[in-house]
Amino acid sequence: MTLLRTVGLTKRFGGVTAVDDLSIELGDVGITALIGPNGAGKTTAFNLLCGVLPPSSGTVEFRGRDVTGQPPHRIAVLGMARTFQNLELFGDMSVRDNVMVGAGAHLRGGIVSAALRLPRHRSDERAARERSDAVLERLGLGDVADRPASDLPYGLQRRVELARALATDPALLLLDEPMAGLSGGEAAEVAGAVRAIGVPTLIVEHHVETVMALSDRVLVLNFGRLLADGTPAEVRADPAVVEAYLGAEDAA
Amino acid sequence: MSWPWRLAGWALFVLAGPALLALAGQVPFLTSGRLVFLAITALAAVGLCLIMGFAGQVSLGHAAFYAVGAYASGILTAGYGVPPIVALLAGMVLAGAAAAGVARAVFRVSGHFLAMATLAFGLILYYSLGHFRTVTGGNAGRGGIPKLAIGSWEATTDTRMFLLCWALVVLGVLVARNVVDSRTGRALRATGASEVAAGCCGVNVVRAKVGVFVLGALYAAVAGSLYAHYVTYIAPEEFGLLKSIQFLVVATVGGLTSVWGGPVGAVVLVLLTEASREAIPLFVEGATGPYELTIYGLVLVVVLLLFNRGIAGGIAHAWRARGRGGGGDPEPLAEDATGRPVPREVAP
């Protein structure tokens, strides 16, 4: 079944076309990598998918619904969660509170039930708390749940972002360079965690070898355009990819 | 903080009311009448702390919602014989609707538009109060407003009125705490740290901000209603820009990011202005007139130099720092490796 479909997705910033006529389709299983040289438009593509940026033209369809131009919170509630290349944690909130913001995505109780401590508020809090604690345990963050997120070392902060995204109970996970700045061992841990999570994932990553090993399918972007689409083996053998990207990296 | 400390804090807060009354009986410069104004100011300021500290929006028109509460109470009770409690609730509904209108119109655009919009709303309402004489009494004001009564209980004395107002301040802080310590509160703190990330976590940023803005306006409406019933006379000059700025200073001095900011700021500023009214003529011969603004300005500068989170925020911060220094928490794990500036602190 198709989970995500973009048709002719394009984003122009002034004279620069960051994403150019991107048409992709993702099924509801597996891990798909989105790779490409710096400035290829990977992060912009993410921002278009999750509603942070409106596209210049083209459409995004998610779980059978046209979500083009919808605000991020609506797309998030529909089941798309993401992490950020430059961490966007809620720094002085505790790790648990960070994750509880994500867990609150599907709760409906508002300011009135909170102000008056209605039963609705209590059941909401309990649900958010239980969901958060389960996710924290699963990602090995139980011991640091009460610490301010900004107190944690960088590797753990990356994991908190992943936990926060998972707490929204996503149907599709977008990971923007989840291994950036991590050591080889930490990167392998993240890869293992992503595998174990089992949620369909679209992942942007510069650790090419790690991501090739992790992914079922690889999309290659170059100058905002889709250059290749196939299994890791197919993409690795594609002369255009080798010339634009992989070859250059090997030479470096 | 563990629960015995929290309970002690609330007990102290509740008892501060009678303690202030006792103080008013002992010192020459403070009367229980001034304490009523102190409590009214504190209540309005709790609402402003929610708007500014948690929704992150500067409001220069808080006195407008205060005016809506006061005039709803004044006109409905004096003009139509409506019971004070019903008039108070009507004032809350009207102020809430006005706040929702202002907020909905401007939260869609980011930036400093809300500050300008609240300023404009405050000024328009202020001049309207003077203009529509048949309803508001114009610049001459409107009198004959009854004292506040709940059933057969009447707030006939200053002491009674103060205790009622203080009870409402306690209730107001409790409600503010409930909101701050909830999904809505977390959503707002998250939005303050990273609006993009909050949105991607499913937070409807506009709705959360509008909700808190409306809630903050309700505090001002109740405060205005209490004012009308206490003074029994209302005129536009009480509800101008100066009043909005007074609320702003009280909230900032107390601590915008703390639910305790309103009462703390009001106690500090009212005690200081009242004391100075007594003390300044002793040093400056022939000095008379209102010192209030000078004191407000001075206290604002001094407090912001000493604690940039206001007094309540500063105390909360020092308390947590003490806890860490005393070995209450385990060793910090590491620095923020990204080197990003840590977002502005929001103390619950």
Side-chain angles (χ1 to χ4, degrees), chain A residues 126-141:
Chain A
R126 201 176 317 118
R129 174 85 187 220
E130 279 168 10
R131 169 139 198 90
S132 302
D133 284 352
V135 171
L136 287 169
E137 277 311 315
R138 190 164 164 196
L139 290 181
L141 290 166

Side-chain angles (χ1 to χ4, degrees), chain A residues 219-252:
Chain A
L219 305 170
V220 185
L221 272 190
N222 197 26
F223 297 112
R225 294 187 143 269
L226 192 60
L227 188 69
D229 176 359
T231 63
E234 285 165 2
V235 165
R236 216 188 281 271
D238 190 322
V241 176
V242 172
E243 189 187 335
Y245 185 38
L246 297 175
E249 188 129 305
D250 285 346

